[in-house]
Amino acid sequence: MKHKPHVTIICVSFLFLFGFISLSILQNQSTKHEQAVPLTYNWYYSLNGKSPVSLSIPTHVDCYYHKGDTVDLYTTLPTTSIKQPYLRTKIFLQHVKIFLDDELLYTYDGNINTSGNLEVGSGLLVFPLPKDYAYKTLHIQYIHSFDRITNYIFPITLTEKNLTETLLFDSAETIYLNSWFLLTGIVCLLVSLYLKFQKQPYLSFLFLGIFAIIYSIWLLCNTKCLQLFTQNLAFIHHLEYLCFYAIAIPLWLFFYQIVSKHSLKLYCFISVLPAIVFYIVAIILQYMDKANFFELLPAYHLLLGGNLLLMIIFIALLIYKKHPLSQGLLVGILCLILSGILEIVKFYATNIKVTSFINYGIILFFFNLIYALYRPKNLTKSKTTHF
């Protein structure tokens, strides 16, 4: 009975692995049959009313945008075999207007925030075109809401899929990853509840479960899959950053619980303090309209970089003090650190805002953690861990 929580998590993990492989195969098969026409060439680009220049998209322009900058894109739509076409692209903290032969088809001005003002968000934009779209001029106008917004122009595609179909089919792999993180978090919380009723230490599983659930919600927002449930892009934007800025806190509290030596507990306590302070300050600045969550992102990336360094020192201390979980956690924490570094580098090198590396880094961390915890010699050797 004592080891049943670990068995439960192992079963959940292997079910995830089997399902993930199966889903990847099915997704590859389904995308082969999609009718989609990328609108790559013959675009004209104008910044703040200047003379248009030709370009191909997706692309990076040679400047970062500032608050109030207006970008206009023009092209002539081709004829295709798609009977009911949809236009698909992404928006990132921008007001958007879309015209077809000067007729306004779509506008996004934001959503009402807690102060009663309009606030923009980020998300996937998919909306229907009239059936006689061919050879008409498509005009997309972006008005930027913040300084130094990405200089990346996202792909624009004609497709047969509406928003729901796009999210369900094109993001099936992400939705499955999200489901696994959420399920793992719920299982950890249930295990912590079981241990509490058994009058055993339970906080380690509690914080691990909170970490998995927070990451699950963040992933749902970051990949825009939350648009399956709401089109309030400002709400999704806020929830994404509220989760992202909190992600390090339960992880350090988890580490705090699995060690017993006073020096290691003190190290974890000191390491989590900057993350807690930043989280409180970020919320205050956002909801007092002093700064947007996105504008605080560079500072948070510096904080994350510091956390990755602190984790390297932490695992070194575990090895030095011969903690029974040190060898088992080494690979998992290193995967977490490496994927975090790659994610930050990718963000600034490519301006691609959707996560990828860190997903698999956290999965490897969880699998390695389960292995470390379930090794019989670790379960019997240490009376200091809370597992």
Side-chain angles (χ1 to χ4, degrees):
M1 182 68 66
K2 181 180 178 181
H3 297 169
K4 279 188 176 181
H6 307 86
V7 175
T8 302
I9 297 181
I10 289 173
C11 292
V12 169
S13 299
F14 278 106
L15 283 173
F16 156 77
L17 185 62
F18 173 77
F20 180 74
I21 294 171
S22 303
L23 186 67
S24 297
I25 296 172
L26 291 173
Q27 184 181 8
N28 289 335
Q29 292 297 320
S30 65
T31 53
K32 291 178 181 178
H33 304 291
E34 178 192 6
Q35 282 188 295
V37 180
L39 301 177
T40 303
Y41 306 106
N42 302 317
W43 283 94
Y44 290 91
Y45 165 90
S46 173
L47 175 62
N48 294 329
K50 296 179 181 178
S51 299
V53 296
S54 61
L55 51 70
S56 300
I57 61 173
T59 188
H60 296 271
V61 296
D62 58 1
C63 69
Y64 278 92
Y65 301 122
H66 298 282
K67 184 176 181 179
D69 280 354
T70 300
V71 171
D72 293 283
L73 293 174
Y74 304 88
T75 192
T76 300
L77 292 176
T79 182
T80 70
S81 60
I82 302 175
K83 294 181 179 180
Q84 178 54 64
Y86 291 84
L87 190 72
R88 180 173 70 204
T89 187
K90 292 181 180 179
I91 55 177
F92 188 76
L93 299 178
Q94 302 153 319
H95 301 272
V96 180
K97 291 182 178 180
I98 299 180
F99 303 85
L100 194 63
D101 272 357
D102 296 327
E103 178 185 351
L104 182 64
L105 292 184
Y106 176 87
T107 182
Y108 172 70
D109 288 325
N111 305 101
I112 301 294
N113 63 15
T114 53
S115 302
N117 301 318
L118 282 173
E119 184 174 357
V120 295
S122 305
L124 185 65
L125 175 61
V126 181
F127 70 95
L129 290 174
K131 293 182 179 180
D132 60 345
Y133 67 91
Y135 306 116
K136 292 186 176 181
T137 300
L138 175 68
H139 172 202
I140 305 178
Q141 183 180 80
Y142 303 97
I143 301 175
H144 294 274
S145 301
F146 299 96
D147 289 331
R148 292 196 61 79
I149 290 296
T150 175
N151 62 350
Y152 184 68
I153 298 178
F154 291 99
I156 301 174
T157 305
L158 289 177
T159 177
E160 61 181 352
K161 294 178 181 177
N162 60 30
L163 178 62
T164 301
E165 291 170 334
T166 298
L167 290 170
L168 286 177
F169 288 98
D170 294 0
S171 304
E173 182 178 311
T174 299
I175 292 172
Y176 194 84
L177 284 171
N178 174 272
S179 300
W180 181 80
F181 283 120
L182 183 61
L183 181 59
T184 301
I186 292 172
V187 169
C188 287
L189 292 183
L190 292 175
V191 169
S192 71
L193 189 62
Y194 166 80
L195 293 175
K196 180 175 174 59
F197 284 134
Q198 295 295 316
K199 300 188 184 301
Q200 297 180 35
Y202 66 95
L203 288 176
S204 47
F205 269 109
L206 176 65
F207 291 129
L208 194 61
I210 292 173
F211 170 75
I213 290 174
I214 288 177
Y215 187 82
S216 170
I217 297 172
W218 175 59
L219 185 61
L220 198 66
C221 297
N222 182 255
T223 56
K224 311 313 172 190
C225 292
L226 197 60
Q227 286 183 242
L228 286 168
F229 309 103
T230 177
Q231 291 304 303
N232 190 328
L233 302 186
F235 168 75
I236 295 174
H237 172 75
H238 281 217
L239 186 59
E240 175 183 354
Y241 283 94
L242 284 171
C243 291
F244 186 45
Y245 288 165
I247 198 72
I249 297 173
L251 190 59
W252 278 114
L253 293 176
F254 163 75
F255 290 144
Y256 180 89
Q257 292 299 320
I258 67 172
V259 296
S260 62
K261 293 186 177 180
H262 178 73
S263 58
L264 290 175
K265 281 189 173 293
L266 181 61
Y267 181 86
C268 293
F269 177 76
I270 293 174
S271 298
V272 77
L273 277 181
I276 295 174
V277 171
F278 181 91
Y279 191 68
I280 295 172
V281 170
I283 291 175
I284 292 173
L285 291 176
Q286 169 67 45
Y287 294 108
M288 290 184 65
D289 290 329
K290 299 299 182 182
N292 187 275
F293 281 138
F294 175 77
E295 295 174 296
L296 300 173
L297 194 57
Y300 185 67
H301 281 156
L302 288 175
L303 179 67
L304 278 185
N307 272 268
L308 295 176
L309 179 61
L310 289 171
M311 283 187 186
I312 294 174
I313 298 172
F314 177 68
I315 194 65
L317 288 173
L318 289 181
I319 294 173
Y320 174 74
K321 294 181 179 294
K322 298 180 180 180
H323 191 281
L325 293 179
S326 59
Q327 296 298 324
L329 285 175
L330 177 62
V331 175
I333 292 181
L334 288 178
C335 287
L336 199 61
I337 292 169
L338 180 61
S339 62
I341 293 173
L342 289 174
E343 200 69 55
I344 293 174
V345 170
K346 184 195 71 173
F347 182 93
Y348 286 102
T350 67
N351 286 283
I352 297 174
K353 308 302 179 188
V354 177
T355 182
S356 57
F357 295 113
I358 195 66
N359 294 338
Y360 302 102
I362 292 180
I363 289 171
L364 290 172
F365 169 74
F366 266 95
F367 272 89
N368 185 257
L369 178 62
I370 293 166
Y371 167 74
L373 296 173
Y374 196 65
R375 289 169 68 187
K377 65 178 183 179
N378 280 345
L379 290 172
T380 57
K381 183 178 179 181
S382 176
K383 296 182 181 179
T384 64
T385 65
H386 286 193
F387 293 90

